[in-house]
Amino acid sequence: AESFDEAYKKSVLGVCQDRLKFFAELPELTRYFFIDLPVDTSLIENHKQLKKLSNDELKTLLKSSQEALSGSEFTTEVLTDTLNQLLQTTAQKPAILFSLIRIAITQSPASPGLADTLAVLGKEKSLSRIKQTYDKL
């Protein structure tokens, strides 16, 4: 039988393969799936869209995201619906809301599809990272 660890690695590879051009890029592209990186607020401060928002606005979006995701099942399909509903309830553009969530959970400006990334990371790790970013703002 396959161990949880092997299944997790295959899931990570599955969501990252489209972005992977060279095998040597694999550690950098997948690092956030395996270790919790320190919160880097400069990713938000230097983001073209996010830097226009106040810390209070960013915190409100993170709080709304955390609440919506905590009530969601962590499958790609359900997460896609949850994220799309979140766009409507927050009246935000994907470039703002999804970028903020992506940075919070990966500490990276780019990642595979957000719903896929959330599904692979899992509920506990995703929510914990959103909270860490919220606390750091």
Side-chain angles (χ1 to χ4, degrees), residues 14-39:
V15 298
C16 290
Q17 66 187 16
D18 292 347
R19 303 185 75 83
L20 189 63
K21 292 182 186 70
F22 303 102
F23 189 70
E25 298 172 321
L26 193 60
E28 186 60 33
L29 278 176
T30 61
R31 200 168 50 152
Y32 53 81
F33 282 106
F34 300 101
I35 57 171
D36 289 335
L37 299 167
V39 175

Side-chain angles (χ1 to χ4, degrees), residues 4 26 80 83 106:
F4 168 78
L26 193 60
T80 299
L83 290 167
T106 66

Side-chain angles (χ1 to χ4, degrees), residues 29-130:
L29 278 176
T30 61
R31 200 168 50 152
Y32 53 81
F33 282 106
F34 300 101
I35 57 171
D36 289 335
L37 299 167
V39 175
D40 180 359
T41 54
S42 73
L43 290 167
I44 294 170
E45 293 155 11
N46 298 325
H47 187 279
K48 195 170 74 180
Q49 303 284 331
L50 296 175
K51 69 180 179 186
K52 298 175 187 171
L53 301 179
S54 71
N55 265 16
D56 285 346
E57 290 171 307
L58 293 167
K59 288 179 98 158
T60 299
L61 288 175
L62 284 171
K63 188 102 179 119
S64 300
S65 302
Q66 191 170 27
E67 287 167 3
L69 292 169
S70 68
S72 180
E73 200 179 304
F74 265 61
T75 62
T76 302
E77 298 76 25
V78 175
L79 285 164
T80 299
D81 290 343
T82 301
L83 290 167
N84 287 331
Q85 287 168 1
L86 199 52
L87 284 175
Q88 292 178 341
T89 56
T90 60
Q92 278 301 341
K93 298 185 191 99
I96 291 177
L97 184 66
F98 293 174
S99 295
L100 180 60
I101 297 170
R102 175 174 285 110
I103 288 169
I105 63 165
T106 66
Q107 294 305 308
S108 172
S111 75
L114 186 55
D116 291 326
T117 302
L118 286 162
V120 172
L121 275 173
K123 187 180 236 176
E124 190 178 323
K125 197 175 281 189
S126 297
L127 293 175
S128 162
R129 290 180 180 182
I130 290 171

